[in-house]
Amino acid sequence: MKHRLLLLVLFLTYPSACGAAETLYAGKPLAFWLDELKSDDPLIRDEAVAVLSDAGPAARAAVPRLEELLKSKQPRVRVRAALALWRIVGQTKPAVAALTEALRDRAAPHRAEMLNQLGQLGSAAASSAPVVVGMVRDPDLVVRTQATMAMQRFGAAAVPSLVPLFEDKDPHVRREACHALGLLGMAAKEGVGKLTPLLKDADTEVRQEALATLGRLGLAAREAAPAIAELARDKDVSLRAASLQALQNIFPDPRLARPIASDALEDDNVLIRCRGLVLLWRVSPKHPDILPHLLELLKQPVGRSELLNVLSSMGPAGARAVPVLTKLLKEADAAQRRQVILALGRIGRAARPAVPALLEQLRSTDIPTRQDAVTALRAIGGDSERIVPAVLNVAKQDMATRMMCLPLLADYGSQAAAAVPWLVEGLRPPQSFVTVQTAETLHKIDPERGRKEAVPVLHDMLKPAGPWRVYAAMALRRMQPDSEEALHTLIECVEGKDPNAKQQACQFLGTLGKPAREAAPALKRALRDAAIPNRVAAATALWKISGETETTVPVLIEALKPAPNNYSRYQAAMQLGEMGPAVKTAALPALRKYRDDPDVFFRQSVVQAIQRIEGATNKGPG
């Protein structure tokens, strides 16, 4: 203890004596924390482990002591030490072993955090899958969520650990193993062959779970289609319904699916008929039997939600359903009404006879229903004399709905002139993002009034301290494409300290293409930004403006690496794909490393990018 105090006093009094360039960790030199690691006080030792863990490779000197702590009788100590070793020298095995062992105790504290750590270890922690499986349906929502995310991050590497569980004597274990495999998405393709035999399991619930899992796997489970089809004619109604739903999701060969769907349409059970219709639509969307059966089945509440989803996907082709849908708007179920409203909006112009019923929905006390009705009315259009006053009235009720009403009013242009006084009033302080949207709406309805009332407000919002200046600059540039002040403000935002404004500015500059070439130097500097999303946005914008690949491609490749927030990874992959064959040499090797990534959405982005680079014709930047 005296040694630690002496070291600390010496450092504070004569920092140069301890090395003037030494990095501080939590306000103290690394040597201090290395010494604290030997403390018998668990609180002091835990703090030291945490600080050294954050120090990463710089704390290599702590490795021997941390390895000693792996032998502790306390699971908590072993876990902390193992995680520190992982972060300092990349040792994954001790971390996986310690976390897995600790999680075997279902009453262990901090289970969610430990599952989160396993998920961060990714495929290296796939051997823990048998333990994690038991938590994917835990009563605790946080634990359940982290277990699910961990399984997804394990990816294909978890399949060998799950397969043996399919033969466990306990049907509950078999069911949970099925469910866990379904969380892997396309990464579980290698496990489909081992899962298929469970469709003949002695336990009905296991068969149902196997069907549900194969359905979740989608295209990856197409090889199981014949086995699933056998259950579509089973005596058990629940198995027939589950098999039809699974077939819908895996898009089987139409030659296999059409006869099954046709038989299902003649079934005595309404749900079976509904699912047979959905299957028929999936494999033969233009089949003449679909709409007549759908209109008849909509009269029954059973399966109606699934049928409404089909109608929404049919779009204008479902126009004959408008009278039925209009009647359904009188149903009491709010969730169903929202589905009906969505379907009418997707049908579009042909749904104009339903406008009066949709206007009634604007009076709903349920805000989401009102908002959905506004969205549908915008897609349907027409009848400005009735729609504009009604929408203007609902726009005054709450801010969230107002933001959805403004684009609809803007679409009507001069036909929405009745909204002008209200819009002008809305430009008055206090200013917000809605002020920007209001300004653009006014300009589209009445350009002259917009120049007089809205443009000065937007100019005022460009002030350096303004919280909405990036949005004001974007709006002003859209309204006045030659506005140098707006362009210069956007460039200032790229070089500013607000990370969100920086990202927004980069993205908008990219949409301007070559006319924004004055921003290229600022975007090049932004390629070194501390935040990955900003680097990706800057690289994307710079390419769209100048066609620059030498500096942008390395930034995008770096952003492909695993990170806590995968959104930037998606963006980087998609942008490399957009660059096309021109970046083939540099980008393809990097993208191929992630074809089996545990994140299904990122994996899809990578596959699409590879396809575009290898074969697609690229139009190049604007």
Side-chain angles (χ1 to χ4, degrees), residues 115 135-136 138 140-150 152:
L115 287 164
M135 301 181 189
V136 295
D138 194 272
D140 187 319
L141 174 60
V142 179
V143 170
R144 190 163 69 243
T145 301
Q146 291 298 339
T148 298
M149 292 175 64
Q152 291 170 336

Coordinates of all heavy atoms in Angstrom, one line a residue, residues 115 135-136 138 140-150 152:
L115 N -24.5 -12.7 -21.5 CA -25.0 -13.1 -22.9 C -24.6 -12.1 -23.9 O -24.2 -12.4 -25.0 CB -26.5 -13.3 -22.9 CG -27.0 -14.5 -22.1 CD1 -28.5 -14.4 -21.9 CD2 -26.7 -15.7 -23.0
M135 N -32.0 -20.1 -22.9 CA -32.4 -18.7 -22.5 C -33.1 -17.9 -23.6 O -33.5 -16.8 -23.3 CB -31.2 -18.0 -22.0 CG -30.5 -18.7 -20.9 SD -29.0 -17.8 -20.3 CE -28.3 -19.0 -19.2
V136 N -33.3 -18.5 -24.7 CA -33.9 -17.7 -25.8 C -35.4 -17.5 -25.6 O -36.0 -16.7 -26.3 CB -33.6 -18.4 -27.2 CG1 -32.2 -18.4 -27.6 CG2 -34.2 -19.8 -27.2
D138 N -36.4 -17.1 -22.2 CA -36.4 -16.9 -20.7 C -37.5 -15.9 -20.4 O -37.9 -15.0 -21.2 CB -35.1 -16.2 -20.4 CG -34.8 -16.2 -18.9 OD1 -35.2 -15.3 -18.2 OD2 -34.2 -17.2 -18.4
D140 N -37.5 -13.5 -18.5 CA -36.9 -12.1 -18.4 C -36.7 -11.6 -19.8 O -35.9 -12.1 -20.6 CB -35.6 -12.1 -17.6 CG -35.0 -10.7 -17.4 OD1 -35.1 -9.9 -18.3 OD2 -34.5 -10.4 -16.3
L141 N -37.4 -10.5 -20.2 CA -37.3 -10.0 -21.6 C -35.9 -9.6 -22.0 O -35.4 -9.9 -23.1 CB -38.2 -8.8 -21.7 CG -38.1 -8.1 -23.1 CD1 -38.5 -9.0 -24.2 CD2 -39.0 -6.8 -23.0
V142 N -35.1 -9.0 -21.1 CA -33.8 -8.6 -21.4 C -32.9 -9.8 -21.6 O -32.1 -9.8 -22.6 CB -33.2 -7.7 -20.2 CG1 -31.8 -7.3 -20.6 CG2 -34.1 -6.5 -20.0
V143 N -33.0 -10.8 -20.8 CA -32.2 -12.0 -20.9 C -32.6 -12.7 -22.3 O -31.7 -13.1 -23.0 CB -32.4 -13.0 -19.8 CG1 -31.8 -14.3 -20.0 CG2 -31.9 -12.4 -18.5
R144 N -33.9 -12.7 -22.5 CA -34.3 -13.4 -23.8 C -33.8 -12.6 -25.0 O -33.3 -13.3 -26.0 CB -35.9 -13.3 -23.8 CG -36.5 -14.1 -24.9 CD -38.0 -14.4 -24.6 NE -38.8 -13.2 -24.6 CZ -39.4 -12.7 -23.6 NH1 -39.3 -13.2 -22.4 NH2 -40.2 -11.6 -23.7
T145 N -33.8 -11.3 -25.0 CA -33.3 -10.5 -26.1 C -31.8 -10.8 -26.3 O -31.4 -10.9 -27.4 CB -33.6 -9.0 -25.8 OG1 -35.0 -8.8 -25.7 CG2 -33.1 -8.2 -27.0
Q146 N -31.0 -10.7 -25.2 CA -29.6 -10.9 -25.4 C -29.2 -12.3 -25.8 O -28.3 -12.5 -26.6 CB -28.9 -10.6 -24.0 CG -29.0 -9.1 -23.6 CD -28.2 -8.2 -24.6 OE1 -27.4 -8.6 -25.4 NE2 -28.6 -6.9 -24.6
A147 N -30.0 -13.3 -25.4 CA -29.7 -14.7 -25.8 C -30.0 -14.8 -27.3 O -29.3 -15.5 -28.0 CB -30.6 -15.7 -25.0
T148 N -31.1 -14.2 -27.7 CA -31.5 -14.3 -29.2 C -30.4 -13.6 -30.0 O -29.9 -14.1 -31.0 CB -32.8 -13.6 -29.4 OG1 -33.8 -14.3 -28.7 CG2 -33.2 -13.5 -30.9
M149 N -29.9 -12.4 -29.6 CA -28.9 -11.7 -30.3 C -27.6 -12.5 -30.3 O -26.9 -12.5 -31.3 CB -28.7 -10.3 -29.7 CG -29.9 -9.4 -29.9 SD -29.7 -7.8 -29.0 CE -28.2 -7.1 -29.9
A150 N -27.3 -13.1 -29.2 CA -26.0 -13.9 -29.2 C -26.1 -15.1 -30.2 O -25.2 -15.3 -30.9 CB -25.8 -14.5 -27.7
Q152 N -27.8 -15.2 -32.9 CA -27.7 -14.7 -34.3 C -26.2 -14.3 -34.6 O -25.8 -14.5 -35.7 CB -28.6 -13.4 -34.4 CG -30.1 -13.8 -34.3 CD -30.9 -12.5 -34.2 OE1 -30.5 -11.5 -33.7 NE2 -32.2 -12.7 -34.6

